[in-house]
Amino acid sequence: MTRISRKLRRWTSEVLDLPQDVLYDMPRLTLIGSKQLYIENHRGVIHFTPDRIVLALSQGQLEISGNALVIRNILPDEVAIEGTILDIHMNGVEGNG
């Protein structure tokens, strides 16, 4: 991302009071204990088993590992996962600083 683009996004965020996840098209993760995970701004399910779920992101992938994982709810840009969540790993995600 160019320096001008970063400055424009930062300025837009401050003036319009937009959250960073919306402005940069980043995923928003909400973990409740180790039993529920809500992910916003995903791009689809790549892989699903009871032990591992991989979601596509705008940049890279999100891998969730655990036991008895189920997709409780899925919408075009939001997914709810339940089970015993042991690990969350982001692959190929570039920093936006």
Side-chain angles (χ1 to χ4, degrees), residues 42 44-49 52-57 60-65 69 71 81 89 91:
H42 74 94
V45 177
I46 296 172
H47 177 81
F48 172 72
T49 64
R52 184 171 164 258
I53 298 173
V54 180
L55 300 174
L57 303 175
Q61 299 176 348
L62 180 71
E63 182 175 342
I64 301 102
S65 301
L69 299 175
I71 296 175
I81 296 170
H89 187 81
N91 299 312

Side-chain angles (χ1 to χ4, degrees), residues 10-49:
R10 189 174 302 122
W11 178 83
T12 304
S13 173
E14 291 170 3
V15 170
L16 299 178
D17 197 27
L18 293 173
Q20 293 285 327
D21 60 312
V22 172
L23 193 60
Y24 289 108
D25 197 25
M26 299 170 80
R28 176 179 289 213
L29 306 161
T30 305
L31 180 64
I32 301 171
S34 63
K35 299 295 182 188
Q36 295 179 328
L37 176 64
Y38 297 93
I39 302 111
E40 298 175 54
N41 299 332
H42 74 94
R43 298 290 180 260
V45 177
I46 296 172
H47 177 81
F48 172 72
T49 64

